[in-house]
Short mmCIF file of all heavy atoms in Angstrom, two decimals:
data_model
loop_
_atom_site.label_atom_id
_atom_site.label_comp_id
_atom_site.label_asym_id
_atom_site.label_seq_id
_atom_site.Cartn_x
_atom_site.Cartn_y
_atom_site.Cartn_z
N LYS M 95 19.01 7.05 -15.11
CA LYS M 95 18.31 7.92 -16.07
C LYS M 95 17.04 8.51 -15.47
O LYS M 95 16.55 9.53 -15.92
CB LYS M 95 17.88 7.10 -17.30
CG LYS M 95 18.97 6.73 -18.23
CD LYS M 95 18.33 6.14 -19.47
CE LYS M 95 19.28 5.20 -20.16
NZ LYS M 95 18.62 4.37 -21.15
N PHE M 96 16.48 7.82 -14.47
CA PHE M 96 15.17 8.21 -13.97
C PHE M 96 15.21 8.80 -12.55
O PHE M 96 14.18 9.20 -12.03
CB PHE M 96 14.21 7.01 -14.01
CG PHE M 96 14.14 6.42 -15.39
CD1 PHE M 96 14.63 5.15 -15.66
CD2 PHE M 96 13.61 7.16 -16.43
CE1 PHE M 96 14.59 4.62 -16.94
CE2 PHE M 96 13.56 6.65 -17.72
CZ PHE M 96 14.06 5.37 -17.97
N SER M 98 16.87 11.49 -11.61
CA SER M 98 16.90 12.96 -11.63
C SER M 98 15.53 13.45 -12.09
O SER M 98 14.81 12.73 -12.80
CB SER M 98 17.96 13.46 -12.62
OG SER M 98 19.23 13.00 -12.25
N HIS M 100 12.60 14.83 -14.06
CA HIS M 100 12.36 14.85 -15.50
C HIS M 100 10.86 14.82 -15.77
O HIS M 100 10.05 14.66 -14.85
CB HIS M 100 13.06 13.65 -16.17
CG HIS M 100 12.51 12.32 -15.75
ND1 HIS M 100 12.93 11.68 -14.61
CD2 HIS M 100 11.56 11.51 -16.30
CE1 HIS M 100 12.28 10.54 -14.47
NE2 HIS M 100 11.43 10.41 -15.50
N TYR M 101 10.51 14.95 -17.03
CA TYR M 101 9.13 14.70 -17.46
C TYR M 101 9.17 13.96 -18.79
O TYR M 101 10.23 13.79 -19.39
CB TYR M 101 8.33 16.02 -17.57
CG TYR M 101 8.81 16.98 -18.61
CD1 TYR M 101 8.33 16.93 -19.92
CD2 TYR M 101 9.76 17.97 -18.31
CE1 TYR M 101 8.79 17.82 -20.89
CE2 TYR M 101 10.21 18.85 -19.27
CZ TYR M 101 9.73 18.78 -20.56
OH TYR M 101 10.20 19.63 -21.51
N HIS M 102 8.01 13.49 -19.22
CA HIS M 102 7.86 12.84 -20.53
C HIS M 102 6.71 13.51 -21.27
O HIS M 102 5.86 14.13 -20.65
CB HIS M 102 7.51 11.36 -20.38
CG HIS M 102 8.36 10.62 -19.42
ND1 HIS M 102 9.56 10.07 -19.75
CD2 HIS M 102 8.17 10.36 -18.11
CE1 HIS M 102 10.07 9.50 -18.68
NE2 HIS M 102 9.26 9.66 -17.67
N GLU M 106 3.15 8.49 -17.71
CA GLU M 106 3.90 7.35 -17.16
C GLU M 106 2.92 6.60 -16.26
O GLU M 106 2.51 7.11 -15.22
CB GLU M 106 5.13 7.86 -16.39
CG GLU M 106 5.99 6.73 -15.84
CD GLU M 106 7.39 7.20 -15.44
OE1 GLU M 106 7.89 8.19 -16.01
OE2 GLU M 106 7.98 6.57 -14.56
N ARG M 108 1.82 3.03 -14.37
CA ARG M 108 2.38 1.78 -13.87
C ARG M 108 1.38 1.10 -12.93
O ARG M 108 0.79 1.75 -12.08
CB ARG M 108 3.66 2.06 -13.06
CG ARG M 108 4.75 2.78 -13.83
CD ARG M 108 5.41 1.85 -14.83
NE ARG M 108 6.49 2.51 -15.55
CZ ARG M 108 6.32 3.15 -16.70
NH1 ARG M 108 5.15 3.24 -17.26
NH2 ARG M 108 7.35 3.71 -17.30
N PHE M 117 8.20 7.08 -6.48
CA PHE M 117 8.06 8.18 -7.42
C PHE M 117 8.17 9.47 -6.62
O PHE M 117 7.52 9.62 -5.58
CB PHE M 117 6.68 8.16 -8.09
CG PHE M 117 6.58 7.19 -9.22
CD1 PHE M 117 6.13 5.89 -9.02
CD2 PHE M 117 6.93 7.57 -10.51
CE1 PHE M 117 6.02 5.00 -10.06
CE2 PHE M 117 6.83 6.68 -11.57
CZ PHE M 117 6.38 5.39 -11.34
N VAL M 139 1.07 9.10 -13.90
CA VAL M 139 1.77 10.38 -13.87
C VAL M 139 1.54 11.04 -15.23
O VAL M 139 1.99 10.52 -16.25
CB VAL M 139 3.29 10.18 -13.65
CG1 VAL M 139 4.00 11.52 -13.57
CG2 VAL M 139 3.54 9.33 -12.41
N ALA M 143 4.45 16.22 -16.29
CA ALA M 143 4.56 16.39 -14.83
C ALA M 143 5.98 16.06 -14.40
O ALA M 143 6.52 15.00 -14.76
CB ALA M 143 3.57 15.47 -14.11
N HIS M 145 8.86 14.65 -12.26
CA HIS M 145 8.91 13.52 -11.33
C HIS M 145 10.28 12.85 -11.41
O HIS M 145 11.09 13.18 -12.27
CB HIS M 145 7.81 12.50 -11.67
CG HIS M 145 8.02 11.84 -13.00
ND1 HIS M 145 7.63 12.43 -14.17
CD2 HIS M 145 8.60 10.67 -13.35
CE1 HIS M 145 7.96 11.64 -15.18
NE2 HIS M 145 8.56 10.56 -14.71
N TRP M 146 10.50 11.93 -10.50
CA TRP M 146 11.67 11.06 -10.60
C TRP M 146 11.28 9.71 -10.05
O TRP M 146 10.21 9.56 -9.45
CB TRP M 146 12.89 11.65 -9.90
CG TRP M 146 12.86 11.65 -8.40
CD1 TRP M 146 13.37 10.70 -7.57
CD2 TRP M 146 12.31 12.67 -7.55
NE1 TRP M 146 13.16 11.07 -6.26
CE2 TRP M 146 12.53 12.26 -6.21
CE3 TRP M 146 11.66 13.89 -7.78
CZ2 TRP M 146 12.11 13.02 -5.11
CZ3 TRP M 146 11.25 14.64 -6.68
CH2 TRP M 146 11.47 14.21 -5.38
N PHE M 147 12.14 8.71 -10.23
CA PHE M 147 11.81 7.36 -9.77
C PHE M 147 13.08 6.67 -9.26
O PHE M 147 14.13 6.74 -9.90
CB PHE M 147 11.22 6.52 -10.91
CG PHE M 147 10.92 5.10 -10.49
CD1 PHE M 147 9.77 4.82 -9.77
CD2 PHE M 147 11.80 4.06 -10.79
CE1 PHE M 147 9.50 3.52 -9.34
CE2 PHE M 147 11.54 2.76 -10.36
CZ PHE M 147 10.38 2.50 -9.64
N TRP M 167 8.08 8.53 -24.62
CA TRP M 167 8.50 8.14 -23.29
C TRP M 167 10.02 8.21 -23.13
O TRP M 167 10.68 7.25 -22.79
CB TRP M 167 7.94 6.76 -22.95
CG TRP M 167 7.81 6.66 -21.48
CD1 TRP M 167 6.90 7.29 -20.70
CD2 TRP M 167 8.67 5.95 -20.61
NE1 TRP M 167 7.14 7.02 -19.39
CE2 TRP M 167 8.21 6.20 -19.29
CE3 TRP M 167 9.78 5.13 -20.79
CZ2 TRP M 167 8.83 5.66 -18.19
CZ3 TRP M 167 10.39 4.59 -19.68
CH2 TRP M 167 9.92 4.85 -18.39
N THR M 168 10.53 9.40 -23.43
CA THR M 168 11.96 9.67 -23.26
C THR M 168 12.06 10.75 -22.18
O THR M 168 11.33 11.73 -22.24
CB THR M 168 12.55 10.21 -24.58
OG1 THR M 168 12.31 9.23 -25.59
CG2 THR M 168 14.03 10.49 -24.46
N PRO M 169 12.97 10.56 -21.17
CA PRO M 169 13.02 11.59 -20.12
C PRO M 169 13.58 12.92 -20.62
O PRO M 169 14.57 12.94 -21.36
CB PRO M 169 13.95 10.96 -19.07
CG PRO M 169 14.68 9.87 -19.75
CD PRO M 169 13.87 9.44 -20.93
FE1 FE2 W 1 9.71 9.10 -15.75
#
Side-chain angles (χ1 to χ4, degrees):
K95 286 189 205 166
F96 305 113
S98 300
H100 65 276
Y101 64 89
H102 312 274
E106 182 163 333
R108 301 287 181 269
F117 279 93
V139 182
H145 66 277
W146 73 94
F147 178 79
W167 207 71
T168 302

